[in-house]
Amino acid sequence: MSSSIAPAFRRALSSDGKPDRVAAVLDRLEGFSGLDPVIDRIRQKVRGLPLGPVRDVLHGRWLGHPVHPVLVQVPIGAWMSTAVLDLMPGERRASRTLVAVGLAAAAPAAWAGWIDWAELHKRQQRVGLVHATTNVVAIVLYAGSLSARLKSREALGRTLGFAGLAAVGISGTLGGHMAYRQAAGANHAEEVPHLVAPGWHPLGEVADFPVGEPVRRAIDDVAVLVVREVGGTVHALADHCSHLAGPLSQGKVADGCVQCPWHGSVFRLSDGWNVRGPATAPQPAFDTRIVDGRVEARLREKPPSSHVDGLVQERSA
């Protein structure tokens, strides 16, 4: 028996030089433009919600990374525990309670997910829309499961619960694809400290940087945004936005900040602090100095904080 199972198992794991079936399906989903009209309508409605500062709370800016993956642990944990208890006799009340807890916790998790989804690239949104739809299916199944349990139809309640858990598993696969394959929610500026060599690096002549205008330069092949203020202070940040790598050098500079042209994240020029989301991580910042009329920069090791910090400026004749 084992000798016949082993070859079949090896065939299942072998790609034979072709993409794995699940990965191939997800790749096709990314490119399925038929979802775009629905995506555009939903995105417009989500972006138009008058949430104010709550929007950044749901993005997870206060946490330093998206809050949605944290919130989903509660319904997933509750429903997984329900499945375990459903396999044991005499645990009807506990199972019923856990189903209800999962349903209650699904609401804030869904809100955070939709707010993040509205600020993603189109290919990520296509997968995300199916991810959200699968979550809705799971919620409907668990709502039916709770209703059946409350009516003492335990067999139906357990069946709907297991079906809901299967939907949650599919949803989790799609969410994992978004997070790890498509880098949705990841810090797209994290690699900068690993790529920039220590010490000072030339950026160009002071005259090369018009006052108040964003200019793009490079340090060790890392794109850098440079802005010179009226008083002569020069700011430098990593150019690729931490949210989805948007070009900050093409953004708007105002009030000591730069706004990403892609999704509107706002960063403080003095230290890279993310003043407004959807970015949840700050931008790597550089100390600057002017030597013989030339601007130099080095990567700043101290992470930014939310309070106003002064930019270190070193000047020499």
Side-chain angles (χ1 to χ4, degrees):
M1 177 104 178
S2 60
S3 60
S4 62
I5 293 177
F9 187 66
R10 284 196 296 269
R11 285 195 299 272
L13 293 179
S14 176
S15 64
D16 296 327
K18 300 178 182 179
D20 293 327
R21 289 185 179 89
V22 175
V25 170
L26 293 176
D27 286 343
R28 287 197 294 271
L29 176 58
E30 290 182 22
F32 181 55
S33 59
L35 294 173
D36 293 356
V38 177
I39 287 173
D40 292 339
R41 287 195 295 271
I42 298 176
R43 179 180 58 188
Q44 184 178 7
K45 291 183 179 299
V46 174
R47 285 182 170 180
L49 293 172
L51 297 176
V54 176
R55 190 174 296 273
D56 274 357
V57 173
L58 292 172
H59 278 309
R61 191 176 71 86
W62 57 275
L63 186 61
H65 61 76
V67 72
H68 174 68
V70 178
L71 296 177
V72 299
Q73 302 307 310
V74 179
I76 291 175
W79 292 336
M80 178 63 74
S81 299
T82 299
V84 174
L85 293 179
D86 279 346
L87 297 175
M88 303 172 62
E91 301 292 345
R92 294 180 178 182
R93 183 177 179 182
S95 296
R96 191 180 306 149
T97 301
L98 286 171
V99 172
V101 168
L103 287 170
W111 271 109
W114 280 115
I115 294 300
D116 286 343
W117 172 88
E119 307 299 340
L120 296 176
H121 293 315
K122 187 59 67 68
R123 294 179 70 87
Q124 296 167 330
Q125 288 179 327
R126 291 166 183 160
V127 179
L129 182 60
V130 180
H131 167 71
T133 302
T134 310
N135 283 334
V136 171
V137 172
I139 290 172
V140 170
L141 288 169
Y142 274 110
S145 174
L146 180 60
S147 177
R149 292 169 195 266
L150 292 174
K151 296 175 182 177
S152 298
R153 301 176 65 183
E154 296 297 333
L156 177 60
R158 287 194 296 270
T159 300
L160 291 174
F162 286 125
L165 187 62
V168 168
I170 295 172
S171 172
T173 300
L174 293 166
H177 182 84
M178 293 176 66
Y180 301 112
R181 181 71 172 267
Q182 296 182 300
N187 178 4
H188 287 258
E190 189 278 334
E191 78 281 359
V192 170
H194 310 292
L195 299 177
V196 176
W200 293 97
H201 304 267
L203 290 174
E205 301 289 338
V206 174
D208 295 338
F209 305 103
V211 174
E213 296 295 326
V215 177
R216 180 183 174 122
R217 287 291 184 268
I219 296 177
D220 292 339
D221 294 326
V222 172
V224 177
L225 161 72
V226 184
V227 178
R228 180 161 68 103
E229 291 186 343
V230 175
T233 300
V234 179
H235 302 295
L237 302 177
D239 188 45
H240 292 159
C241 176
S242 63
H243 175 233
L244 282 176
L248 297 183
S249 55
Q250 297 179 23
K252 179 182 179 181
V253 173
D255 301 324
C257 297
V258 60
Q259 184 176 27
C260 179
W262 283 6
H263 300 97
S265 297
V266 176
F267 301 93
R268 197 163 57 200
L269 288 170
S270 63
D271 60 2
W273 180 256
N274 47 320
V275 177
R276 189 169 75 238
T280 58
Q283 286 297 110
F286 294 78
D287 295 325
T288 64
R289 68 181 183 183
I290 299 175
V291 180
D292 297 330
R294 294 182 61 83
V295 179
E296 297 181 349
R298 70 178 177 187
L299 186 67
R300 187 178 305 172
E301 295 183 359
K302 178 186 175 183
S305 60
S306 59
H307 64 275
V308 177
D309 295 321
L311 176 69
V312 175
Q313 286 284 328
E314 299 187 16
R315 298 176 183 272
S316 60

